[in-house]
Amino acid sequence: MARLVAVCREGEEDYPFLARQIPLYIDDTLTMVMEFPDSVMDVEGHEINPAHWKQFSEYYSKLKQQDLNIALMVTSREVYSALSQLVPCVGCRRSVEHLFSHSVERGNPALEPLIVKPKGVLTLTKACLADMKKLYTLFYIHG
């Protein structure tokens, strides 16, 4: 579970972000810092539902790696379109849009296994895409 670790006000822009921390821009004068635990993708620490695992592994094995890569890519246009439909709070939506554009410009290892490529494509790390158990954990445990 992510947790709030700092609140930065105007003039405190030099916050020393750690690897699993991201800025949440509330407005021009306020930024919150959220931290993700390192254990987010720990595949051994979660209980696996045997029925879900069986179905997931069957579907996963039918896909070629290239098909999986393409299916799990989301363009920036699709991200912004989904945000406008799914996030009714304008301030919340702007904060996520700012985080996304910041990730496009600078990258953000805190979101791994999610990565945002320089052209604005949201996808998963190669290690996650190639590991059926990690993908299962992402979709069925963290959902």
Side-chain angles (χ1 to χ4, degrees), residues 42-102:
D42 178 17
V43 294
E44 303 305 324
H46 304 286
E47 190 173 320
I48 292 178
N49 178 314
H52 290 163
W53 173 252
K54 181 180 179 195
Q55 183 181 28
F56 181 81
S57 60
E58 285 175 15
Y59 290 151
Y60 181 89
S61 64
K62 291 178 183 178
L63 290 171
K64 295 178 186 167
Q65 191 64 44
Q66 182 179 0
D67 295 334
L68 186 63
N69 293 347
I70 292 169
L72 294 174
M73 284 185 184
V74 182
T75 66
S76 58
R77 177 182 287 173
E78 293 169 317
V79 169
Y80 290 122
S81 176
L83 282 173
S84 68
Q85 295 173 16
L86 300 172
V87 183
C89 169
V90 175
C92 299
R93 185 169 55 244
R94 284 188 184 144
S95 181
V96 176
E97 289 170 349
H98 195 290
L99 172 63
F100 185 78
S101 63
H102 181 268

Side-chain angles (χ1 to χ4, degrees), residues 17 23 28 62 105 108 137:
F17 287 95
D28 292 339
K62 291 178 183 178
E105 293 168 11
N108 203 329
T137 301

